[in-house]
Amino acid sequence: MSTEEQGYFTEENSAEVVVSRNANAQNARLAEVIGILTRHLHAAVKEIEPTQEEWMQAILFLTETGHMCNDWRQEFILLSDVLGVSMLVDAINNRKPTGASESTVLGPFHVEDAPELPMGSNICLDQKGEPMLVKGRILSTGGHPIDQAKIDVWQANDEGFYDVQQKGIQPDFNLRGVFRTGPDGSYHFKGVKPKYYPIPADGPVGKMLESLGRHPYRPAHLHYILEADDFEPLITHIFDPDDPYIHSDAVFGVKESLLARFEWVEDVTRIAENGMDGPYYEVVHDFVLVPKGT
Ligand code: BEZ
Ligand code: FE
């Protein structure tokens, strides 16, 4: 028998027999990944001891997950999100030095071609919702302001929907914008206070959450992609710490360092100083980027 022929399959040696069959793999990384997956999968099956019916239920669940996918709906990513795997892969690939802003999931609602707007613009195009001013600085881990940092921001509206989910109801590019910092690294823009919302729950992943007694909600947040020459890009959010779902995000995206205070401001001097028309929520949050090669 050659190395890839390790005898007949038994319940006891199942994983080793299957893994050894890959001994002549041309792609060493693929063989490593499939080997690890095979061992863990066989261990799980041995622990679960599924009935034939249960195994078929699992196959049908994955089949339905695949059928749910199209150009704008990726049910497998959603499955990875609710199992915490997206956040785990994000954590492994974005280990940061102390003081750097932390990353979180991208999510499915980013669009590539949002308009670049003058600093201070209002990204809310339909005047719906409670006014919000977001401001802060983009800094390096050394504490220096970053000039020409690109800030790509997007958020759900006051009812918890992104523009792309409500075509014809919300204006195109509502609550999205791209801003560029100047030499002082500061940014500010207007929006509306976001609201919690459910992840798309009308497919097999939603059904699975329901069967597990889990809700599909994400706490209110603003999404950011930050990019600057010579710095590692950062994909992240800031979250409302007072949101009812802040401790139970359906996709595990919340981190302590990403909590930002949404302060209700009624003081007329501050309203005037900040160019707002009346009471508003103020959110102040600095982001710290890591120089490339650190
Ligand atoms: C989002 O925040 O846009 C999101 C993230 C993961 C799954 C669904 C939505
Ligand atoms: Fe979101």
Side-chain angles (χ1 to χ4, degrees):
M1 277 193 300
S2 57
T3 37
E4 76 274 18
E5 295 169 340
Q6 290 293 311
Y8 296 118
F9 185 105
T10 67
E11 185 177 330
E12 289 69 35
N13 71 8
S14 65
E16 286 322 309
V17 169
V18 175
V19 172
S20 67
R21 199 65 68 81
N22 306 328
N24 299 324
Q26 287 162 15
N27 182 331
R29 176 66 171 162
L30 178 68
E32 183 192 12
V33 170
I34 296 297
I36 293 170
L37 277 178
T38 304
R39 286 198 183 89
H40 283 272
L41 186 58
H42 281 233
V45 172
K46 285 173 187 181
E47 189 173 343
I48 296 166
E49 297 195 331
T51 62
Q52 290 290 353
E53 289 72 25
E54 285 172 332
W55 184 239
M56 186 47 72
Q57 226 182 321
I59 298 288
L60 292 177
F61 170 78
L62 292 175
T63 306
E64 214 190 318
T65 300
H67 285 164
M68 199 73 199
C69 295
N70 55 40
D71 285 349
W72 59 91
R73 177 76 179 258
Q74 231 306 349
E75 195 74 357
F76 277 110
I77 296 185
L78 213 54
L79 180 58
S80 151
D81 293 342
V82 303
L83 293 177
V85 176
S86 301
M87 277 305 289
L88 187 55
V89 173
D90 183 71
I92 289 165
N93 286 281
N94 292 283
R95 295 179 183 127
K96 304 272 185 202
T98 314
S101 292
E102 294 188 281
S103 60
T104 189
V105 280
L106 174 66
F109 300 121
H110 177 249
V111 306
E112 288 295 336
D113 49 353
E116 186 150 347
L117 302 171
M119 193 61 84
S121 298
N122 194 344
I123 59 173
C124 177
L125 306 179
D126 63 2
Q127 290 80 48
K128 276 183 77 240
E130 296 174 288
M132 174 182 73
L133 173 68
V134 188
K135 59 183 182 180
R137 288 170 307 160
I138 314 294
L139 302 168
S140 68
T141 40
H144 303 293
I146 302 179
D147 188 14
Q148 294 301 305
K150 181 179 166 202
I151 303 166
D152 186 344
V153 62
W154 68 104
Q155 63 160 108
N157 71 3
D158 63 321
E159 292 174 4
F161 292 105
Y162 290 89
D163 58 349
V164 290
Q165 295 175 289
Q166 290 193 313
K167 287 207 175 285
I169 299 174
Q170 291 188 43
D172 287 348
F173 300 119
N174 194 33
L175 296 167
R176 301 176 183 273
V178 174
F179 299 93
R180 250 174 225 282
T181 57
D184 69 354
S186 72
Y187 74 90
H188 63 289
F189 63 88
K190 294 171 193 162
V192 291
K193 187 166 190 280
K195 195 183 171 197
Y196 58 81
Y197 65 83
I199 60 169
D202 56 342
V205 171
K207 269 187 250 161
M208 182 188 83
L209 291 184
E210 197 182 343
S211 308
L212 290 171
R214 279 174 60 176
H215 70 71
Y217 290 97
R218 299 214 63 208
H221 56 271
L222 295 161
H223 289 259
Y224 288 87
I225 298 177
L226 302 175
E227 291 169 299
D229 286 348
D230 305 325
F231 289 88
E232 297 293 344
L234 174 69
I235 297 174
T236 196
H237 307 355
I238 53 176
F239 291 92
D240 176 4
D242 297 323
D243 188 278
Y245 297 105
I246 198 68
H247 298 298
S248 61
D249 182 1
V251 305
F252 307 96
V254 181
K255 294 176 179 178
E256 184 96 39
S257 69
L258 305 180
L259 302 180
R261 197 163 145 242
F262 286 63
E263 181 194 6
W264 181 242
V265 177
E266 292 185 328
D267 180 84
V268 284
T269 317
R270 278 178 69 187
I271 292 171
E273 268 171 12
N274 283 299
M276 302 298 285
D277 299 328
Y280 67 100
Y281 282 96
E282 185 168 302
V283 183
V284 182
H285 195 82
D286 292 344
F287 293 95
V288 180
L289 303 187
V290 181
K292 276 190 178 143
T294 305

Tab-separated table of all heavy atoms in Angstrom, residues 18-19 22 25 27-41:
chain	number	residue	atom	x	y	z
A	18	VAL	N	-9.199	9.093	5.400
A	18	VAL	CA	-9.585	10.120	4.419
A	18	VAL	C	-8.429	11.096	4.207
A	18	VAL	O	-8.059	11.411	3.068
A	18	VAL	CB	-10.860	10.871	4.875
A	18	VAL	CG1	-11.176	12.020	3.918
A	18	VAL	CG2	-12.035	9.905	4.949
A	19	VAL	N	-7.810	11.554	5.300
A	19	VAL	CA	-6.737	12.554	5.187
A	19	VAL	C	-5.541	11.981	4.417
A	19	VAL	O	-4.947	12.660	3.573
A	19	VAL	CB	-6.313	13.063	6.590
A	19	VAL	CG1	-5.073	13.938	6.499
A	19	VAL	CG2	-7.461	13.843	7.239
A	22	ASN	N	-4.994	12.274	0.642
A	22	ASN	CA	-4.537	13.527	0.017
A	22	ASN	C	-3.007	13.642	-0.003
A	22	ASN	O	-2.472	14.724	-0.228
A	22	ASN	CB	-5.104	14.738	0.784
A	22	ASN	CG	-6.622	14.671	0.908
A	22	ASN	OD1	-7.294	14.145	0.024
A	22	ASN	ND2	-7.164	15.182	2.008
A	25	ALA	N	-1.188	15.623	-2.751
A	25	ALA	CA	-1.771	16.925	-3.134
A	25	ALA	C	-0.696	17.840	-3.720
A	25	ALA	O	0.430	17.886	-3.228
A	25	ALA	CB	-2.397	17.583	-1.909
A	27	ASN	N	-1.231	21.080	-3.958
A	27	ASN	CA	-1.369	22.339	-3.227
A	27	ASN	C	-1.280	22.020	-1.726
A	27	ASN	O	-2.222	21.499	-1.132
A	27	ASN	CB	-2.715	22.982	-3.592
A	27	ASN	CG	-2.918	24.319	-2.918
A	27	ASN	OD1	-2.408	24.562	-1.829
A	27	ASN	ND2	-3.671	25.187	-3.568
A	28	ALA	N	-0.118	22.311	-1.132
A	28	ALA	CA	0.138	21.920	0.260
A	28	ALA	C	-0.829	22.624	1.224
A	28	ALA	O	-1.280	22.033	2.212
A	28	ALA	CB	1.577	22.237	0.636
A	29	ARG	N	-1.140	23.894	0.949
A	29	ARG	CA	-2.041	24.642	1.838
A	29	ARG	C	-3.449	24.039	1.796
A	29	ARG	O	-4.099	23.893	2.824
A	29	ARG	CB	-2.050	26.115	1.406
A	29	ARG	CG	-3.013	27.004	2.184
A	29	ARG	CD	-2.629	27.154	3.649
A	29	ARG	NE	-3.445	28.159	4.311
A	29	ARG	CZ	-3.597	28.275	5.614
A	29	ARG	NH1	-2.971	27.438	6.439
A	29	ARG	NH2	-4.339	29.214	6.123
A	30	LEU	N	-3.883	23.674	0.569
A	30	LEU	CA	-5.207	23.055	0.428
A	30	LEU	C	-5.257	21.746	1.217
A	30	LEU	O	-6.220	21.464	1.937
A	30	LEU	CB	-5.528	22.809	-1.055
A	30	LEU	CG	-6.856	22.116	-1.313
A	30	LEU	CD1	-8.031	23.021	-0.944
A	30	LEU	CD2	-6.976	21.684	-2.784
A	31	ALA	N	-4.185	20.948	1.078
A	31	ALA	CA	-4.144	19.662	1.787
A	31	ALA	C	-4.184	19.894	3.293
A	31	ALA	O	-4.863	19.164	4.035
A	31	ALA	CB	-2.886	18.899	1.397
A	32	GLU	N	-3.479	20.932	3.769
A	32	GLU	CA	-3.475	21.233	5.207
A	32	GLU	C	-4.890	21.604	5.673
A	32	GLU	O	-5.396	21.087	6.674
A	32	GLU	CB	-2.506	22.394	5.468
A	32	GLU	CG	-2.384	22.740	6.937
A	32	GLU	CD	-1.667	24.063	7.178
A	32	GLU	OE1	-1.452	24.835	6.219
A	32	GLU	OE2	-1.363	24.331	8.353
A	33	VAL	N	-5.526	22.513	4.903
A	33	VAL	CA	-6.867	22.999	5.278
A	33	VAL	C	-7.871	21.849	5.261
A	33	VAL	O	-8.636	21.661	6.221
A	33	VAL	CB	-7.300	24.143	4.317
A	33	VAL	CG1	-8.765	24.488	4.512
A	33	VAL	CG2	-6.421	25.378	4.525
A	34	ILE	N	-7.851	21.055	4.188
A	34	ILE	CA	-8.827	19.954	4.085
A	34	ILE	C	-8.545	18.907	5.164
A	34	ILE	O	-9.465	18.322	5.743
A	34	ILE	CB	-8.792	19.333	2.663
A	34	ILE	CG1	-9.239	20.359	1.618
A	34	ILE	CG2	-9.665	18.067	2.588
A	34	ILE	CD1	-10.666	20.847	1.755
A	35	GLY	N	-7.277	18.695	5.471
A	35	GLY	CA	-6.914	17.745	6.534
A	35	GLY	C	-7.500	18.175	7.874
A	35	GLY	O	-8.127	17.374	8.586
A	36	ILE	N	-7.295	19.440	8.197
A	36	ILE	CA	-7.803	19.943	9.495
A	36	ILE	C	-9.329	19.890	9.521
A	36	ILE	O	-9.936	19.427	10.497
A	36	ILE	CB	-7.288	21.387	9.741
A	36	ILE	CG1	-5.770	21.365	9.944
A	36	ILE	CG2	-7.989	22.024	10.938
A	36	ILE	CD1	-5.116	22.732	9.960
A	37	LEU	N	-9.939	20.345	8.426
A	37	LEU	CA	-11.412	20.331	8.366
A	37	LEU	C	-11.940	18.911	8.503
A	37	LEU	O	-12.918	18.657	9.211
A	37	LEU	CB	-11.897	20.924	7.041
A	37	LEU	CG	-11.986	22.446	6.956
A	37	LEU	CD1	-12.443	22.857	5.568
A	37	LEU	CD2	-12.948	22.995	8.014
A	38	THR	N	-11.294	17.972	7.811
A	38	THR	CA	-11.749	16.573	7.849
A	38	THR	C	-11.680	16.035	9.278
A	38	THR	O	-12.642	15.424	9.772
A	38	THR	CB	-10.887	15.699	6.906
A	38	THR	OG1	-10.935	16.273	5.599
A	38	THR	CG2	-11.376	14.268	6.854
A	39	ARG	N	-10.554	16.281	9.952
A	39	ARG	CA	-10.402	15.760	11.326
A	39	ARG	C	-11.473	16.347	12.252
A	39	ARG	O	-12.096	15.626	13.033
A	39	ARG	CB	-9.011	16.081	11.871
A	39	ARG	CG	-7.934	15.211	11.243
A	39	ARG	CD	-6.646	15.199	12.053
A	39	ARG	NE	-5.650	14.396	11.352
A	39	ARG	CZ	-4.806	14.889	10.444
A	39	ARG	NH1	-4.812	16.191	10.156
A	39	ARG	NH2	-3.950	14.101	9.821
A	40	HIS	N	-11.681	17.701	12.147
A	40	HIS	CA	-12.666	18.330	13.035
A	40	HIS	C	-14.097	17.886	12.696
A	40	HIS	O	-14.912	17.676	13.589
A	40	HIS	CB	-12.542	19.860	12.984
A	40	HIS	CG	-11.359	20.359	13.773
A	40	HIS	ND1	-11.426	20.657	15.114
A	40	HIS	CD2	-10.078	20.575	13.421
A	40	HIS	CE1	-10.230	21.052	15.542
A	40	HIS	NE2	-9.391	21.005	14.531
A	41	LEU	N	-14.357	17.737	11.388
A	41	LEU	CA	-15.701	17.327	10.969
A	41	LEU	C	-16.000	15.900	11.440
A	41	LEU	O	-17.094	15.622	11.962
A	41	LEU	CB	-15.806	17.450	9.443
A	41	LEU	CG	-17.165	17.212	8.821
A	41	LEU	CD1	-18.223	18.159	9.389
A	41	LEU	CD2	-17.087	17.403	7.295
